[in-house]
Amino acid sequence: MDLYEHQARQLFEEHGILVPRAEVTDAAGEARGIARRLGGRAVVKAQVKTGGRGKAGGVRLAEDPEAAERTAREILGMTIKGHPVRAVMLAQPVDIEAEFYVSYVLDRAAGRFLAIASAEGGTEIEEVAAARPEAVARVPVDPAEGVTPEKAAEIVRTAGLPPAAADVLLRLWQVLIREDALLVEVNPLVRTAQGQLMALDGKVTLDGNARYRQARWADQETSHEDPLEAAAAAKGLNYVKLDGEVGVIGNGAGLVMSTLDVVAGSGARPANFLDIGGGASARIMSDGLSVVLSDPGVRSVLVNVFGGITACDAVADGIVRALDAVRPTKPIVVRLDGNNAARGRAVLGGLAHPLVHQAATMDDAARLAARLAHTS
């Protein structure tokens, strides 16, 4: 269950992470008064559960209360990547000295969490990873041990963050654990001109299976504005729609994140994040491929699976089943490695489907998927 930015911000503030003063409204007429309370100037931000708001014009600086009302009215009439804007958050501007990125995400395949951090925040982390992969640190976190001061210091050191970020990382871990989250992200985490570290934007995805013990979200709307995300949720899939042309399916959040980076580094844009989990069956693989192939923006699909709990022959069986069900018109690149990989490759080889291509490595698979997306 994804939260809106203002809800993520509330959780950060409750756990001692500094955030700018802000208020939320669904009425443009209220924006003028909110801006006055914030000191006159305000950043007006569309509240939608998707990325790319800034590029779409959904984040703007208003210089005075009158401009805040006018800007809020314009943004409330927008639709961003299929998501209608029904509310805006007005936040107090801050003087930014530097921007960073920090997050924790569940890595299902590895049975642990992954800390992802960078000294280059403020843009999509996939773009940073594609341009300068060495600038993005990935540090595994044992859930039994959690993020200790020593682990936080390791993340800070590996990513090149300021030492004070260790406290933010400790508090962000508490958000993840206490709120039963699968993902917590701050982008950007900024250092202000006054030397404070502050979360300017955030994303939190809660574990729907733990909803029963998170009373505050009991009445939270669970419908998905994007029809593909709704279809995926109905099938129990961990799917996020992105703005690209290469569909991505993998088993484990860490592997999928790496695949997104490699696709971006190959000159293409990922169309989605889809983690089929560590114990995915043929049915789950079939369901996932069906959802990704139904995206009209997808021009090729990359299936990247490392067999552990998930056997590669079961993945191959799921691909065969999906091909029977959806009759694709888009090329599919498959990379299988690990448990029963040879058997899985043999299943796909015996199928001899003209749209199914196999690759030996993740890099080869990403390059092929990118090329096919540009030529298909």
Side-chain angles (χ1 to χ4, degrees), residues 253-273:
L255 180 62
V256 178
M257 286 291 292
S258 297
T259 307
L260 299 183
D261 293 345
V262 175
V263 167
S266 298
R269 297 174 303 161
N272 65 271
F273 173 106

Side-chain angles (χ1 to χ4, degrees), residues 39-353:
R41 298 170 73 236
V43 180
V44 187
K45 309 178 76 175
Q47 295 300 284
V48 287
K49 298 177 181 180
T50 187
R53 293 175 302 165
K55 293 179 180 178
V59 179
R60 306 182 202 170
L61 176 64
E63 293 291 347
D64 54 54
E66 291 73 19
E69 178 177 350
R70 183 173 61 254
T71 303
R73 194 176 308 281
E74 293 171 354
I75 293 178
L76 284 167
M78 296 176 64
T79 297
I80 301 176
K81 295 182 181 179
H83 296 252
V85 181
R86 298 192 174 97
V88 293
M89 183 176 76
L90 283 80
Q92 188 176 47
V94 299
D95 294 326
I96 299 173
E97 187 177 86
E99 299 185 349
F100 314 102
Y101 174 96
V102 294
S103 71
Y104 297 114
V105 62
L106 176 63
D107 188 344
R108 297 176 188 270
R112 64 191 181 193
F113 286 92
L114 190 66
I116 303 175
S118 176
E120 300 182 17
T123 59
E124 297 291 337
I125 194 65
E126 294 86 0
E127 295 178 8
V128 177
R132 299 185 62 246
E134 71 280 2
V136 180
R138 296 174 174 82
V139 180
V141 177
D142 184 336
E145 297 180 2
V147 176
T148 61
E150 293 75 20
K151 177 60 72 171
E154 178 189 350
I155 298 167
V156 164
R157 185 172 59 255
T158 306
L161 303 177
D167 182 68
V168 176
L169 288 164
L170 288 168
R171 295 178 185 277
L172 194 63
W173 178 256
Q174 292 304 311
V175 175
L176 182 88
I177 298 304
R178 294 179 182 175
E179 305 299 332
D180 288 309
L182 301 173
L183 165 72
V184 290
E185 176 186 82
V186 179
N187 189 26
L189 173 70
V190 304
R191 182 172 60 221
T192 69
Q194 294 73 38
Q196 295 177 307
L197 288 181
M198 185 175 290
L200 251 57
D201 197 352
K203 180 177 180 180
V204 173
T205 299
L206 303 179
D207 186 351
N209 296 314
R211 194 184 182 114
Y212 70 95
R213 63 187 184 198
Q214 296 292 341
R216 79 167 84 191
W217 310 115
D219 298 325
Q220 177 75 11
E221 178 61 51
T222 58
S223 63
H224 294 260
E225 294 168 349
D226 185 276
L228 286 173
E229 292 185 354
K235 297 177 183 292
L237 297 172
N238 184 19
Y239 173 94
V240 179
K241 179 76 172 70
L242 302 174
D243 187 20
E245 60 279 347
V246 176
V248 175
I249 302 174
N251 61 324
L255 180 62
V256 178
M257 286 291 292
S258 297
T259 307
L260 299 183
D261 293 345
V262 175
V263 167
S266 298
R269 297 174 303 161
N272 65 271
F273 173 106
L274 176 51
D275 172 15
I276 60 173
S281 64
R283 179 190 60 78
I284 292 175
M285 183 68 241
S286 176
D287 287 345
L289 197 53
S290 297
V291 169
V292 172
L293 286 169
S294 65
D295 182 351
V298 167
R299 299 181 64 84
S300 71
V301 179
L302 171 53
V303 178
N304 187 19
V305 170
F306 185 84
I309 299 173
T310 301
C312 290
D313 56 338
V315 171
D317 289 339
I319 294 172
V320 172
R321 184 185 301 182
L323 295 175
D324 289 339
V326 301
R327 300 189 182 281
T329 59
K330 303 161 187 176
I332 302 167
V333 179
V334 183
R335 178 255 184 170
L336 301 176
D337 197 6
N339 183 16
N340 284 354
R343 191 179 303 171
R345 295 189 201 108
V347 169
L348 295 179
L351 180 66
H353 195 289

